[in-house]
Amino acid sequence: MAPLDYISIQAKIDSMENLPISDLKVLDLSQHVSGPYCTKLLADFGADVIKIENPHGGDTSRCYGPYPEDIPDREKSGLFLYLNTNKKSITLDLGTETGTLILEQLVPQMDILVENLGPGSIDYQKLQALNPSLIIASISYFGQDGPFRDYQGSDIVAQALGGMMTLTGLSDREPLKLAGPQAEYQAGINAAIAIMTALHFRDETGLGQHIDISVMECLASILEGSLLSQNYDGTVRERDGARHPTMYPSTILPCKDGYIHVDASTDWETFATFAQIPELLEFKPEDLREKANEIDTLLTRWLAQYTMEEIFHKAQEWRLPFAMVLGADNLSNDPQMIARDYFIDIEHPVTGQLSYPGSPFKMSRCQPKTGRAPLLGEQNQEIYCDLLGYSFLDLTKLSAMGVV
Amino acid sequence: MAKLPLENLRVIDLTQVYAGPLASRVLADMGAEVIRVESAFRSSRGGPNPQQGAVYPDGNPGEKPYNRSAYYNELNRNKHSISLDLSNDQGKEIFLKLAQISDVVLENFSPRVMANFGLDYPNLEKIKSDIIMVSISAYGQTGPYRDYVSFGRGIEAMAGLSQTTGYQDSQPLGPGTAYADATAGLHAVFATLVALRYRRQTGKGQHTDLSLRESLSALMGEHIMDHSMNKRSPERKGNHDSAAIFQGCYRCRGDDSWITIALHTEDELRAFCNAIGNPQWTREPELESLLNWRQNQQKADMMIEQWTIQKDRYEAMKIVQQSGVRAGAVLDAADLNRNSHLKGRGFFETVTHPEAGTHALAGMPWKLGQTPGQVRMPAPCFAQHNDYVFAKLLGMSKEEIAQLEAEGIVTKVPIQ
């Protein structure tokens, strides 16, 4: 057994009830990816998340794939199912007067409210008066103020304006977005951190606050060397395919059965000896980046004789940070992912059992919850009747009015 | 000045490169007292000689390059620095004393290193039962790859992001920044705050095992679900990687000048066509609906670019945005620095470092209404806070500190 496996053992000993934030109630007015990833993190670690979905179809991510066999079904969207584990769903039309009234009835019972409805959609002063310890996280593409405030955003727009796209792709072609809604995910993790920070302050002082999270700024905060090169020595970093902007080789090249990330950025001599290509040693370390095309050709010829697996493990024996370029199909049977029980099986009444990505990290005393995403309006009765005290008849009326 | 949200916390920071320092920087920005414990032999900021790949102010490493590295200074603002040799028994003893008065230990060594020092979680827990430790590594603390080495770019490949990031007709390219590091660092902050909340509730500390690969895989949700549902692996789709949205990146007037445009609904499609003056091609039957646009993406892209190429990227953005449609110019670092919106929001903060000069840096990643955080101090010079930590926090005498310096356990200058 690996030396540090006490982590999984200890987590199993401590009970599921022992989750770090199981005392918190979260009202989730967000949809699509950014807000839902934030509230997924909170829900997976124990928070009671009540997701408000519009009665006319629910969260927009229900209309995005992937779907089983590509047949659209609001209860089967892979994006929605993944992002909404362990949450409750109620339907409520916030655009109606009754909807606003019900929202105001829920707010005093909540610790946290998360929204991505757009700047100015939430009257913080009013909600704070109802509940002074409420923490509100507002996620928007450009933030709650500034000249771009009322512009419309989306993932690709934020990746462009946030400085990420100009760095990705080939130099002679159009800038490229990172695959998947990465800008939105970044905003989600930032919102979760911001909420936990505000919660720490609230635990000390009892005071809530309003958090303003801009998707564009979340990306502009993680540009690594790009901003600092510009600000310290005036260099503008440009996209150059898979190559690292300053170090070479740190790039992706073809091999026998796919692609491999080749990396000698730590130690050129060890790399050259390992590769057993005598010509490599003729290049001086300081000239490598400039001679990249020439060296790529030599390396591609050398790599053609190996499969990804072969060259990956061989290089790692020399402590060279090679990596395989894998797809989702490879991950599900990856020995490291399996050994660490990364994937979790979750049962769902409409899709049946599916394998989901697991927790982004492992804690020695807390094992995250493994519940499924809710059906649209699945907890209407529980929240409207049991929590807010409406009768079944009221609920039927609200439903007939289209509010619920 | 408003109170800072995390100001009663003390964090020992043993991290290097990008993921770990970013994590401790967020904690420091929000008010935690972060103390970097640095080794003279592997200081991560280099020694008396300039570091390969480092960026220095105006390209000049100066006499003490280790205090002028832009990477280091960006990632370590608001932190303290001490030097300490952890491979030495006395050094370890001092570290344990510091751990006794701290809340969190953050590290991103290879998994065997902390155990080799005798400073792994079981040992730390013995001297402080409620200590919180967060270990960041490439592949995790367990499993067959635990001792494998990788930087962020390797992890982007191993997590499936490089495979899907690229043009339809290109090889896999991956992101142009160390995206996996940033993602891991931010998840590590969340893990730290969750563990702190658990300690507040139960009085118990714990150890978090965070791998770059797993934290990045969490952002590949729909790809993994697609495989789970349909046993297929997503292909590279360039800028068109959404099944429900029409989107693309188009050349504008000028050198390397681009705009992104995204259409989510039929209404937006019509608004966009209006905004660009309803040219004849938008009325062709094969481009009637959003679904048609997606099916004939290549043609639609070509026609859109005939419009964008005549426009400056900001002008095009303004026209499209004014019609209520999502559009954004592609900005680089120089553009971001000049950007009126970021200026208006106070995104950049100007910081003066005693040896590296005055520079603008990206400020707080988000704004907490009551307790916004701020850049309170520049990154520390090497060993700058030895006296504060050894004398003030740990109560050591001048003689004791001098003795440690004489024995090389504590140094004033990094060796490499």
Side-chain angles (χ1 to χ4, degrees):
Chain A
M1 177 147 296
L4 280 171
D5 236 9
Y6 66 85
I7 283 197
S8 55
I9 297 162
Q10 185 63 51
K12 277 167 196 150
I13 296 168
D14 287 334
S15 77
M16 293 278 293
E17 310 310 314
N18 240 351
L19 285 158
I21 48 177
S22 54
D23 60 323
L24 295 180
K25 279 197 180 303
V26 181
L27 195 58
D28 185 2
L29 306 187
S30 73
Q31 58 174 350
H32 201 47
V33 177
S34 59
Y37 185 62
C38 163
T39 50
K40 171 188 166 65
L41 288 168
L42 301 176
D44 289 357
F45 284 93
D48 186 8
V49 176
I50 301 169
K51 184 178 174 70
I52 294 192
E53 298 193 70
N54 75 67
H56 322 291
D59 188 329
T60 49
S61 67
R62 290 182 182 271
C63 306
Y64 287 67
Y67 299 105
E69 293 167 46
D70 296 323
I71 303 166
D73 180 328
R74 286 178 198 275
E75 296 300 353
K76 292 185 182 176
S77 153
L79 184 64
F80 177 85
L81 292 174
Y82 169 61
L83 289 170
N84 293 284
T85 51
N86 296 305
K87 300 180 194 172
K88 292 172 180 164
S89 162
I90 63 170
T91 50
L92 182 63
D93 188 344
L94 293 171
T96 63
E97 227 170 279
T98 319
T100 313
L101 208 74
I102 293 175
L103 176 69
E104 285 169 13
Q105 287 170 342
L106 281 164
V107 160
Q109 314 206 26
M110 297 293 143
D111 299 282
I112 294 158
L113 187 151
V114 179
E115 62 95 5
N116 60 1
L117 300 164
S121 305
I122 287 291
D123 185 345
Y124 174 68
Q125 307 299 340
K126 192 173 174 191
L127 297 182
Q128 203 215 14
L130 291 169
N131 180 355
S133 66
L134 185 69
I135 293 164
I136 297 187
S138 292
I139 305 170
S140 57
Y141 285 103
F142 306 110
Q144 302 291 314
D145 56 20
F148 290 4
R149 171 185 192 266
D150 295 320
Y151 275 2
Q152 301 294 311
S154 78
D155 185 72
I156 192 171
V157 166
Q159 291 202 30
L161 286 165
M164 194 61 93
M165 273 182 75
T166 192
L167 301 169
T168 304
L170 294 164
S171 55
D172 57 351
R173 291 187 62 173
E174 70 272 23
L176 197 59
K177 75 183 282 291
L178 310 194
Q182 297 302 330
E184 310 250 4
Y185 274 116
Q186 288 300 324
I189 174 69
N190 274 285
I193 301 170
I195 287 169
M196 292 304 293
T197 304
L199 184 65
H200 188 90
F201 182 72
R202 194 193 77 163
D203 282 339
E204 302 278 314
T205 63
L207 298 173
Q209 57 185 315
H210 189 195
I211 309 165
D212 171 5
I213 297 131
S214 139
V215 182
M216 177 183 174
E217 285 166 18
C218 288
L219 291 187
S221 299
I222 54 167
L223 296 179
E224 198 205 350
S226 171
L227 267 175
L228 66 88
S229 302
Q230 163 68 22
N231 290 340
Y232 282 77
D233 67 10
T235 317
V236 174
R237 293 253 164 118
E238 282 160 9
R239 59 189 175 279
D240 191 11
R243 286 179 192 156
H244 188 281
T246 56
M247 289 186 278
Y248 183 87
S250 163
T251 191
I252 294 171
L253 293 171
C255 62
K256 199 178 186 178
D257 63 342
Y259 292 91
I260 187 95
H261 169 82
V262 175
D263 203 321
S265 54
T266 44
D267 184 353
W268 173 245
E269 266 177 48
T270 306
F271 177 85
T273 316
F274 163 70
Q276 291 185 309
I277 307 171
E279 296 100 301
L280 288 183
L281 282 169
E282 291 164 20
F283 293 94
K284 286 186 210 131
E286 58 270 27
D287 298 337
L288 296 174
R289 190 67 178 78
E290 212 171 296
K291 304 254 166 92
N293 285 341
E294 221 175 301
I295 303 172
D296 273 359
T297 310
L298 287 172
L299 294 179
T300 305
R301 202 182 309 146
W302 165 64
L303 289 165
Q305 58 187 312
Y306 298 107
T307 65
M308 276 194 281
E309 286 271 352
E310 284 164 0
I311 197 68
F312 170 59
H313 295 292
K314 242 170 124 73
Q316 287 285 348
E317 277 170 35
W318 287 61
R319 298 194 66 72
L320 290 165
F322 279 38
M324 297 184 278
V325 179
L326 302 179
D329 48 342
N330 308 107
L331 293 183
S332 62
N333 51 32
D334 180 273
Q336 178 71 3
M337 298 301 242
I338 293 169
R340 286 172 59 80
D341 292 324
Y342 177 70
F343 296 100
I344 47 175
D345 289 328
I346 298 179
E347 191 62 45
H348 183 279
V350 181
T351 65
Q353 183 178 296
L354 290 170
S355 171
Y356 286 61
S359 179
F361 49 82
K362 295 185 187 311
M363 304 180 78
S364 61
R365 287 190 192 277
C366 305
Q367 208 166 29
K369 286 163 82 173
T370 55
R372 64 171 169 87
L375 305 174
L376 182 60
E378 188 176 350
Q379 281 80 22
N380 275 353
Q381 197 179 313
E382 177 189 332
I383 304 301
Y384 287 115
C385 303
D386 303 349
L387 186 74
L388 294 179
Y390 287 93
S391 68
F392 291 128
L393 189 62
D394 295 332
L395 189 55
T396 316
K397 275 187 200 158
L398 286 170
S399 178
M401 285 159 63
V403 176
V404 167
Chain B
M1 190 182 84
K3 195 177 141 70
L4 295 164
L6 302 180
E7 81 184 8
N8 53 359
L9 289 178
R10 185 172 292 136
V11 178
I12 305 181
D13 182 5
L14 289 170
T15 67
Q16 322 149 64
V17 193
Y18 188 26
L22 178 67
S24 55
R25 190 188 87 185
V26 176
L27 297 169
D29 283 351
M30 291 301 138
E33 181 179 83
V34 175
I35 300 171
R36 288 187 57 76
V37 175
E38 300 183 312
S39 153
F41 291 95
R42 39 187 297 176
S43 75
S44 89
R45 43 160 105 198
N49 298 315
Q51 244 181 336
Q52 206 203 330
V55 175
Y56 296 102
D58 308 318
N60 174 13
E63 275 173 39
K64 298 176 186 168
Y66 49 86
N67 286 339
R68 283 173 59 85
S69 158
Y71 272 98
Y72 185 91
N73 290 344
E74 283 271 321
L75 284 166
N76 293 292
R77 68 190 188 205
N78 285 334
K79 303 182 194 175
H80 296 74
S81 156
I82 62 167
S83 67
L84 193 61
D85 181 1
L86 295 178
S87 64
N88 172 288
D89 282 346
Q90 221 180 329
K92 277 191 242 293
E93 218 173 282
I94 294 168
F95 180 86
L96 290 173
K97 275 188 194 150
L98 185 59
Q100 266 173 332
I101 56 164
S102 299
D103 304 285
V104 177
V105 175
L106 208 55
E107 63 98 3
N108 67 348
F109 290 118
S110 304
R112 61 204 146 71
V113 173
M114 288 303 273
N116 287 350
F117 284 144
L119 298 173
D120 51 357
Y121 177 71
N123 280 312
L124 295 183
E125 194 192 15
K126 271 182 219 152
I127 61 104
K128 188 167 196 293
S129 65
D130 66 351
I131 194 89
I132 288 162
M133 179 170 178
V134 178
S135 295
I136 305 171
S137 60
Y139 292 105
Q141 305 288 320
T142 61
Y145 297 175
R146 75 183 282 264
D147 293 320
Y148 277 19
V149 287
S150 187
F151 293 109
R153 273 155 214 273
I155 294 304
E156 287 143 20
M158 292 292 284
L161 182 58
S162 302
Q163 171 79 287
T164 44
T165 299
Y167 307 95
Q168 264 158 313
D169 57 352
S170 79
Q171 69 155 64
L173 297 175
T177 62
Y179 187 70
D181 287 85
T183 299
L186 294 171
H187 279 94
V189 180
F190 181 70
T192 304
L193 294 168
V194 162
L196 281 162
R197 189 84 191 340
Y198 182 80
R199 188 187 72 169
R200 188 186 292 277
Q201 310 282 55
T202 63
K204 291 176 184 169
Q206 63 186 312
H207 184 197
T208 293
D209 165 4
L210 186 145
S211 84
L212 265 71
R213 192 188 191 193
E214 288 166 4
S215 59
L216 184 58
S217 299
L219 309 194
M220 304 296 296
E222 69 278 31
H223 291 173
I224 291 171
M225 294 301 286
D226 194 13
H227 180 260
S228 184
M229 289 172 163
N230 298 309
K231 301 289 165 256
R232 67 185 170 203
S233 206
E235 290 157 13
R236 278 182 293 288
K237 295 186 186 130
N239 288 320
H240 309 139
D241 76 339
S242 168
I245 302 169
F246 176 91
Q247 61 184 21
C249 180
Y250 307 99
R251 191 183 285 279
C252 295
R253 203 174 63 210
D255 182 32
D256 198 28
S257 186
W258 306 86
I259 187 171
T260 55
I261 296 168
L263 302 170
H264 290 221
T265 64
E266 299 293 339
D267 285 348
E268 288 177 14
L269 172 61
R270 277 183 292 275
F272 176 70
C273 292
N274 274 332
I276 63 171
N278 286 312
Q280 182 58 39
W281 61 267
T282 60
R283 293 194 288 273
E284 285 172 24
E286 57 177 355
L287 294 175
E288 231 169 32
S289 68
L290 198 57
L291 187 66
N292 292 148
W293 278 51
R294 276 204 301 275
Q295 281 163 346
N296 299 305
Q297 177 100 38
Q298 239 182 338
K299 169 152 194 197
D301 281 351
M302 216 170 67
M303 303 314 283
I304 293 172
E305 198 157 276
Q306 288 185 3
W307 181 77
T308 57
I309 194 77
Q310 303 166 37
K311 299 268 181 291
D312 167 78
R313 63 192 161 146
Y314 288 111
E315 184 194 353
M317 176 177 163
K318 208 168 172 186
I319 294 171
V320 178
Q321 281 284 359
Q322 277 171 348
S323 72
V325 170
R326 303 151 214 258
V330 174
L331 304 186
D332 66 21
D335 301 322
L336 289 176
N337 275 319
R338 286 191 290 260
N339 186 269
S340 60
H341 179 68
L342 294 179
K343 263 189 198 148
R345 302 248 310 151
F347 178 68
F348 292 101
E349 291 193 45
T350 302
V351 178
T352 300
H353 184 283
E355 297 195 26
T358 301
H359 297 96
L361 14 136
M364 299 302 119
W366 14 265
K367 297 178 174 8
L368 294 184
Q370 302 300 313
T371 56
Q374 60 171 185
V375 181
R376 306 180 300 285
M377 49 187 198
C381 293
F382 184 81
Q384 185 183 335
H385 300 95
N386 279 1
D387 279 348
Y388 166 70
V389 172
F390 297 133
K392 187 154 178 239
L393 293 184
L394 298 177
M396 293 162 68
S397 68
K398 271 189 185 154
E399 293 71 31
E400 281 174 294
I401 298 170
Q403 184 62 31
L404 289 170
E405 281 172 10
E407 288 172 25
I409 297 163
V410 163
T411 45
K412 291 256 172 77
V413 175
I415 293 152
Q416 61 183 44

